């Protein structure tokens, strides 16, 4: 609420002047008529009386508007109504007192027109406060709705991202156990170093949303070492990325589930050497493609990999990924954010 008050002082003053002008407009148009009943020596007193009335109402309206702005979130309608009435009634008594002390003879404080002017100011200020209250309540609800939407999307995204790590973890442990059984200490240590780098990246992914493509490519370079160990150079990557595209962004850990799917759904051996191609298309999409080598037995999988990635792309970018498949190749097109 404080931001609204700080940024509306000029508008507050302008509204007070305009409001006071409308309240005293009847007195203004009556000035020529009053001059027909008084000689020229009274003209100054007539203009002075109107100027006093105008300035007084400017001050009173400004006070009421400021109160209603400051108290709009803190006071109920009944309390605002009571305080507005007290301010208007007190202002009327002050108006009468000033007219009496300074002998402002051109103003009859007991006329019904004066009562109507103060009543109009009271009604205006009360409804102004109510309108601002309704606006602020709606504004706060909109902010709360947006906050809940953001938190909900973040929770859904975290849940999706957290599904990646266990699958990747168990596959890596299987490769590591094979090295340990072979008692190849040098490769085992190198594998652990690469694995630690990759897990550092995956564990930090919960604090990231969109990342530069260069980070994902670096992750794949580290992953390539693990596949080299696991498949004895029968699983390789062909990466061809334009330099400017490396700064384009996509959801963190977008490539891992796709590469993991290649290993799960394809036979990889001496007769079926796998080459995963990663490139940027003319439509500025990241294309991940691989040849299809069907396994003899259907792989056991929960089917979350590609669906998970689709959901994360829609949550973070509002765009959908494309999948193409023919008899020879499987291709996934990921939209990049420039």
């Amino acid at each position: 609420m404080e931001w609204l008050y700080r940024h509306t002082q000029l508008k507050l003053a302008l509204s007070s002047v305009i409001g006071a002008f409308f309240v005293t407009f009847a007195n203004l148009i009556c000035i020529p008529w009053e001059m027909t009943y008084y000689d020229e020596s009274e003209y100054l007193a007539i203009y002075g009386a109107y100027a006093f009335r105008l300035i007084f109402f400017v001050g009173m309206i400004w006070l009421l508007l400021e109160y209603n702005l400051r108290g709009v979130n803190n006071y109920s309608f009944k309390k605002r109504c009571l305080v507005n009435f007290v301010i208007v009634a007190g202002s009327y008594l002050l108006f009468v007192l000033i007219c009496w002390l300074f002998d402002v003879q051109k103003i009859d404080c007991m006329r019904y027109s004066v009562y109507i002017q103060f009543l109009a100011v009271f009604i205006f200020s009360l409804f102004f406060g109510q309108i601002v209250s309704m606006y602020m309540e709606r504004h706060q609800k909109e902010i709360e709705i947006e906050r809940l939407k953001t938190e909900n999307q973040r929770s859904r995204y975290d849940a999706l991202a957290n599904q990646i790590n266990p699958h990747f973890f168990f596959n890596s442990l299987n490769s590591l156990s094979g090295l340990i059984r072979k008692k190849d200490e040098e490769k085992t240590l190198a594998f652990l170093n690469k694995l630690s780098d990759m897990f550092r990246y995956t564990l930090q992914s919960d604090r990231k949303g969109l990342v530069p493509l260069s980070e994902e490519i670096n992750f794949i370079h580290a992953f390539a070492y693990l596949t080299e160990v696991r498949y004895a150079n029968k699983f390789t990557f062909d990466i061809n990325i334009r330099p400017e595209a490396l700064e384009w962004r996509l959801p963190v850990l977008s490539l891992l589930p796709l590469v993991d799917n290649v290993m799960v759904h394809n036979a990889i051996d001496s007769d079926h050497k796998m080459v995963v191609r990663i490139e940027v298309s003319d439509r500025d999409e990241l294309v991940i493609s691989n040849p299809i080598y069907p396994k003899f037995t259907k792989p056991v999988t929960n089917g979350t990999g590609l669906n998970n990635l689709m959901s994360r792309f829609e949550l973070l970018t509002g765009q959908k990924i494309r999948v193409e498949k023919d008899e020879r190749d499987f291709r996934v097109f990921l939209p990049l954010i420039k």
Side-chain angles (χ1 to χ4, degrees), residues 148-158 314-315:
L148 292 175
K149 284 182 178 179
T150 301
E151 289 184 357
N152 182 51
Q153 285 189 340
R154 185 63 187 177
S155 297
R156 289 172 61 193
Y157 174 78
D158 288 343
E314 290 188 20
L315 282 172

Side-chain angles (χ1 to χ4, degrees), residues 250-276:
L250 74 169
V252 66
L253 293 178
S254 291
L255 299 182
L256 177 59
L258 297 178
V259 174
D260 190 61
N261 273 354
V262 174
M263 294 186 289
V264 170
H265 292 279
N266 290 275
I268 303 173
D269 51 38
S270 299
D271 296 326
H272 305 91
K273 293 185 177 180
M274 178 61 64
V275 178
V276 177

Side-chain angles (χ1 to χ4, degrees), residues 52-211:
F52 162 70
R53 191 193 300 260
L54 179 66
I55 293 172
F56 186 89
F57 276 106
V58 168
M60 183 175 66
I61 294 174
W62 181 85
L63 178 63
L64 287 165
L65 295 183
E66 184 182 60
Y67 162 76
N68 281 281
L69 281 177
R70 281 185 174 275
V72 68
N73 283 341
N74 302 322
Y75 307 131
S76 64
F77 176 78
K78 290 183 178 179
K79 187 169 184 178
R80 287 201 309 275
C81 182
L82 177 61
V83 175
N84 276 281
F85 177 79
V86 170
I87 292 175
V88 171
S91 298
Y92 173 75
L93 294 176
L94 179 63
F95 184 79
V96 173
L97 180 62
I98 293 175
C99 289
W100 176 72
L101 289 176
F102 293 93
D103 193 21
V104 184
Q105 298 180 359
K106 303 304 178 185
I107 299 178
D108 184 359
C109 298
M110 302 303 166
R111 294 184 64 176
Y112 285 111
S113 59
V114 176
Y115 299 152
I116 291 174
Q117 286 176 328
F118 278 89
L119 179 62
V121 172
F122 167 72
I123 294 174
F124 167 74
S125 62
L126 186 62
F127 277 93
F128 172 82
Q130 186 64 16
I131 291 171
V132 172
S133 175
M134 294 171 63
Y135 168 78
M136 290 304 300
E137 184 177 355
R138 179 180 176 182
H139 182 67
Q140 292 294 335
K141 286 182 178 179
E142 290 176 351
I143 293 176
E144 182 66 14
I145 289 172
E146 289 300 319
R147 185 185 66 82
L148 292 175
K149 284 182 178 179
T150 301
E151 289 184 357
N152 182 51
Q153 285 189 340
R154 185 63 187 177
S155 297
R156 289 172 61 193
Y157 174 78
D158 288 343
L160 291 170
N162 288 336
Q163 292 176 6
I164 297 174
N165 294 337
H167 197 190
F168 168 55
F169 179 71
F170 289 123
N171 285 340
S172 300
L173 286 182
N174 288 334
S175 299
L176 181 60
S177 63
L179 286 175
I180 294 174
R181 283 194 297 269
K182 294 178 181 178
K183 297 182 180 181
D184 190 335
E185 295 183 1
E186 184 176 348
K187 281 190 176 181
T188 300
L189 290 175
F191 187 93
L192 284 173
N193 288 332
K194 293 291 184 181
L195 187 61
S196 65
D197 292 338
M198 295 177 64
F199 267 104
R200 187 178 299 109
Y201 183 75
T202 58
L203 291 174
Q204 292 174 350
S205 66
D206 62 345
R207 296 191 295 271
K208 300 178 180 179
L210 299 175
V211 297

